[in-house]
Amino acid sequence: MKILLLHLTCLLAGFVPLNGQSFPQLPGLPGSPQQALYAAFEKGDLMVAISPVNWRQGLCLAAARLSVGQTISLNINLVAKTNYVFIGSGATQRSDLDLILRDSTGTVVSADYDDDGTPVLEFQPVTSGMYSLQLHLVAGFTPDEFVAVSCLRTGGRIISEQEYVQTSGSFFASVAEVQSAYAGTQWQERTGQWCLFGYALAEGEGATLRQLMPGPGFTLFAATGSDNLKNIDLYLANENNRIVAKDNGPDAFPL
């Protein structure tokens, strides 16, 4: 999978059409995924300013909708003897979140169970491999809330606030366009699912999300990035690694 980016952030979303009332999702609306993601970026940006870490290459931001009491996991590959910082955030100041990191055996190697909405983990793995980052919504202002996480590391990349604002603005505008073009399509109607992922990639680099489970029915995946992007390709493969859908046209808005 080739995604042509110049150290920028690319955001990927999944859309699933469902019946019933839609959860608020307008850009900037209190409790929206945009608000949760921006809060996570702000906290990560502050950590970059006061510590020797930058944004993790590849997947560096993610947002999800959770019900109170729910936990969601993100599988990430970590490199030995590298310092990592993970920061969780809700869309409002009234969220209580826990952040847990487990190794490939399921053993908890780091955790923040404090009673607050900004759990922070600092971790240096002894061995490289796949780890599971878990975000748990202990309490919230509403029964369902959007939450987000930012991922940082030593030797990472710089993402400016201007770059983030421009990219996220383009992304959420494209969400509205997709929903307008596909009548009845709802974005992140169900809880317990990641609804978007943010990447820091260099030109010619790609990223892979594994074990996606969109469920039955019609599903859309879309990606976008900064204004100066010329080409992003998007591929979907099944469990046998056979490509079942793709958009590799010469544009920066694959669907």
mmCIF file of all heavy atoms in Angstrom, residues 46-65:
data_model
loop_
_atom_site.group_PDB
_atom_site.id
_atom_site.type_symbol
_atom_site.label_atom_id
_atom_site.label_comp_id
_atom_site.label_asym_id
_atom_site.label_seq_id
_atom_site.Cartn_x
_atom_site.Cartn_y
_atom_site.Cartn_z
ATOM 1 N N LEU A 46 1.756 19.370 23.542
ATOM 2 C CA LEU A 46 2.354 19.895 24.770
ATOM 3 C C LEU A 46 3.493 18.994 25.238
ATOM 4 O O LEU A 46 4.550 19.487 25.653
ATOM 5 C CB LEU A 46 1.288 20.007 25.862
ATOM 6 C CG LEU A 46 1.777 20.466 27.239
ATOM 7 C CD1 LEU A 46 2.392 21.859 27.155
ATOM 8 C CD2 LEU A 46 0.632 20.440 28.249
ATOM 9 N N MET A 47 3.292 17.674 25.157
ATOM 10 C CA MET A 47 4.340 16.746 25.552
ATOM 11 C C MET A 47 5.566 16.895 24.653
ATOM 12 O O MET A 47 6.705 16.813 25.123
ATOM 13 C CB MET A 47 3.803 15.315 25.501
ATOM 14 C CG MET A 47 4.791 14.256 25.959
ATOM 15 S SD MET A 47 5.269 14.415 27.699
ATOM 16 C CE MET A 47 3.740 13.910 28.527
ATOM 17 N N VAL A 48 5.344 17.128 23.357
ATOM 18 C CA VAL A 48 6.457 17.351 22.436
ATOM 19 C C VAL A 48 7.249 18.588 22.855
ATOM 20 O O VAL A 48 8.486 18.605 22.794
ATOM 21 C CB VAL A 48 5.940 17.512 20.992
ATOM 22 C CG1 VAL A 48 7.042 18.024 20.069
ATOM 23 C CG2 VAL A 48 5.402 16.186 20.477
ATOM 24 N N ALA A 49 6.537 19.630 23.310
ATOM 25 C CA ALA A 49 7.185 20.893 23.674
ATOM 26 C C ALA A 49 8.021 20.786 24.949
ATOM 27 O O ALA A 49 9.017 21.497 25.089
ATOM 28 C CB ALA A 49 6.140 21.982 23.829
ATOM 29 N N ILE A 50 7.643 19.897 25.877
ATOM 30 C CA ILE A 50 8.315 19.862 27.177
ATOM 31 C C ILE A 50 9.172 18.624 27.387
ATOM 32 O O ILE A 50 9.764 18.462 28.451
ATOM 33 C CB ILE A 50 7.288 19.971 28.326
ATOM 34 C CG1 ILE A 50 6.347 18.752 28.328
ATOM 35 C CG2 ILE A 50 6.484 21.272 28.212
ATOM 36 C CD1 ILE A 50 5.372 18.718 29.498
ATOM 37 N N SER A 51 9.254 17.739 26.388
ATOM 38 C CA SER A 51 10.014 16.500 26.556
ATOM 39 C C SER A 51 10.775 16.177 25.273
ATOM 40 O O SER A 51 10.553 16.816 24.241
ATOM 41 C CB SER A 51 9.073 15.352 26.918
ATOM 42 O OG SER A 51 8.294 14.972 25.801
ATOM 43 N N PRO A 52 11.642 15.165 25.306
ATOM 44 C CA PRO A 52 12.435 14.823 24.109
ATOM 45 C C PRO A 52 11.746 13.875 23.139
ATOM 46 O O PRO A 52 12.408 13.170 22.386
ATOM 47 C CB PRO A 52 13.677 14.169 24.718
ATOM 48 C CG PRO A 52 13.176 13.507 25.955
ATOM 49 C CD PRO A 52 12.120 14.420 26.490
ATOM 50 N N VAL A 53 10.408 13.826 23.138
ATOM 51 C CA VAL A 53 9.687 12.938 22.227
ATOM 52 C C VAL A 53 8.990 13.745 21.144
ATOM 53 O O VAL A 53 8.668 14.919 21.332
ATOM 54 C CB VAL A 53 8.650 12.062 22.971
ATOM 55 C CG1 VAL A 53 9.334 11.119 23.944
ATOM 56 C CG2 VAL A 53 7.614 12.929 23.681
ATOM 57 N N ASN A 54 8.762 13.104 20.007
ATOM 58 C CA ASN A 54 7.983 13.671 18.910
ATOM 59 C C ASN A 54 6.907 12.664 18.524
ATOM 60 O O ASN A 54 6.770 11.612 19.148
ATOM 61 C CB ASN A 54 8.884 14.011 17.722
ATOM 62 C CG ASN A 54 9.761 15.217 17.990
ATOM 63 O OD1 ASN A 54 9.289 16.245 18.455
ATOM 64 N ND2 ASN A 54 11.050 15.075 17.717
ATOM 65 N N TRP A 55 6.157 12.956 17.462
ATOM 66 C CA TRP A 55 5.064 12.070 17.064
ATOM 67 C C TRP A 55 5.605 10.779 16.482
ATOM 68 O O TRP A 55 6.572 10.776 15.719
ATOM 69 C CB TRP A 55 4.162 12.768 16.050
ATOM 70 C CG TRP A 55 3.419 13.900 16.681
ATOM 71 C CD1 TRP A 55 3.791 15.215 16.714
ATOM 72 C CD2 TRP A 55 2.200 13.817 17.423
ATOM 73 N NE1 TRP A 55 2.873 15.952 17.417
ATOM 74 C CE2 TRP A 55 1.891 15.123 17.870
ATOM 75 C CE3 TRP A 55 1.345 12.767 17.752
ATOM 76 C CZ2 TRP A 55 0.751 15.401 18.622
ATOM 77 C CZ3 TRP A 55 0.209 13.039 18.501
ATOM 78 C CH2 TRP A 55 -0.079 14.337 18.924
ATOM 79 N N ARG A 56 4.974 9.686 16.848
ATOM 80 C CA ARG A 56 5.380 8.362 16.374
ATOM 81 C C ARG A 56 5.195 8.270 14.856
ATOM 82 O O ARG A 56 4.178 8.702 14.337
ATOM 83 C CB ARG A 56 4.537 7.294 17.077
ATOM 84 C CG ARG A 56 4.796 5.880 16.651
ATOM 85 C CD ARG A 56 3.919 4.930 17.482
ATOM 86 N NE ARG A 56 4.121 3.536 17.111
ATOM 87 C CZ ARG A 56 3.364 2.886 16.233
ATOM 88 N NH1 ARG A 56 2.360 3.502 15.644
ATOM 89 N NH2 ARG A 56 3.606 1.627 15.952
ATOM 90 N N GLN A 57 6.172 7.690 14.160
ATOM 91 C CA GLN A 57 5.998 7.450 12.732
ATOM 92 C C GLN A 57 4.842 6.482 12.495
ATOM 93 O O GLN A 57 4.592 5.598 13.311
ATOM 94 C CB GLN A 57 7.272 6.872 12.117
ATOM 95 C CG GLN A 57 8.413 7.858 12.063
ATOM 96 C CD GLN A 57 9.399 7.673 13.187
ATOM 97 O OE1 GLN A 57 8.993 7.402 14.321
ATOM 98 N NE2 GLN A 57 10.671 7.803 12.894
ATOM 99 N N GLY A 58 4.172 6.611 11.374
ATOM 100 C CA GLY A 58 3.018 5.762 11.104
ATOM 101 C C GLY A 58 1.839 6.209 11.941
ATOM 102 O O GLY A 58 1.561 7.407 12.066
ATOM 103 N N LEU A 59 1.126 5.274 12.512
ATOM 104 C CA LEU A 59 -0.062 5.583 13.303
ATOM 105 C C LEU A 59 0.310 6.407 14.541
ATOM 106 O O LEU A 59 1.083 5.978 15.373
ATOM 107 C CB LEU A 59 -0.753 4.291 13.733
ATOM 108 C CG LEU A 59 -2.044 4.449 14.543
ATOM 109 C CD1 LEU A 59 -3.116 5.146 13.718
ATOM 110 C CD2 LEU A 59 -2.543 3.091 15.009
ATOM 111 N N CYS A 60 -0.249 7.604 14.650
ATOM 112 C CA CYS A 60 0.079 8.468 15.781
ATOM 113 C C CYS A 60 -1.148 9.057 16.467
ATOM 114 O O CYS A 60 -1.039 9.599 17.561
ATOM 115 C CB CYS A 60 1.021 9.585 15.338
ATOM 116 S SG CYS A 60 0.359 10.658 14.048
ATOM 117 N N LEU A 61 -2.329 8.935 15.854
ATOM 118 C CA LEU A 61 -3.568 9.430 16.448
ATOM 119 C C LEU A 61 -4.707 8.473 16.118
ATOM 120 O O LEU A 61 -4.730 7.876 15.040
ATOM 121 C CB LEU A 61 -3.922 10.818 15.906
ATOM 122 C CG LEU A 61 -3.121 12.022 16.394
ATOM 123 C CD1 LEU A 61 -3.367 13.211 15.479
ATOM 124 C CD2 LEU A 61 -3.495 12.371 17.832
ATOM 125 N N ALA A 62 -5.655 8.338 17.028
ATOM 126 C CA ALA A 62 -6.834 7.510 16.760
ATOM 127 C C ALA A 62 -7.981 7.985 17.645
ATOM 128 O O ALA A 62 -7.752 8.481 18.752
ATOM 129 C CB ALA A 62 -6.546 6.034 17.013
ATOM 130 N N ALA A 63 -9.209 7.847 17.155
ATOM 131 C CA ALA A 63 -10.389 8.236 17.920
ATOM 132 C C ALA A 63 -11.461 7.156 17.813
ATOM 133 O O ALA A 63 -11.545 6.447 16.807
ATOM 134 C CB ALA A 63 -10.941 9.575 17.436
ATOM 135 N N ALA A 64 -12.278 7.045 18.859
ATOM 136 C CA ALA A 64 -13.334 6.026 18.905
ATOM 137 C C ALA A 64 -14.509 6.544 19.719
ATOM 138 O O ALA A 64 -14.380 7.500 20.491
ATOM 139 C CB ALA A 64 -12.806 4.739 19.526
ATOM 140 N N ARG A 65 -15.650 5.910 19.534
ATOM 141 C CA ARG A 65 -16.821 6.194 20.364
ATOM 142 C C ARG A 65 -17.017 5.023 21.317
ATOM 143 O O ARG A 65 -17.087 3.867 20.886
ATOM 144 C CB ARG A 65 -18.063 6.397 19.503
ATOM 145 C CG ARG A 65 -19.315 6.707 20.327
ATOM 146 C CD ARG A 65 -20.543 6.747 19.455
ATOM 147 N NE ARG A 65 -21.738 6.815 20.273
ATOM 148 C CZ ARG A 65 -22.943 6.448 19.868
ATOM 149 N NH1 ARG A 65 -23.098 5.990 18.640
ATOM 150 N NH2 ARG A 65 -23.980 6.533 20.659
#
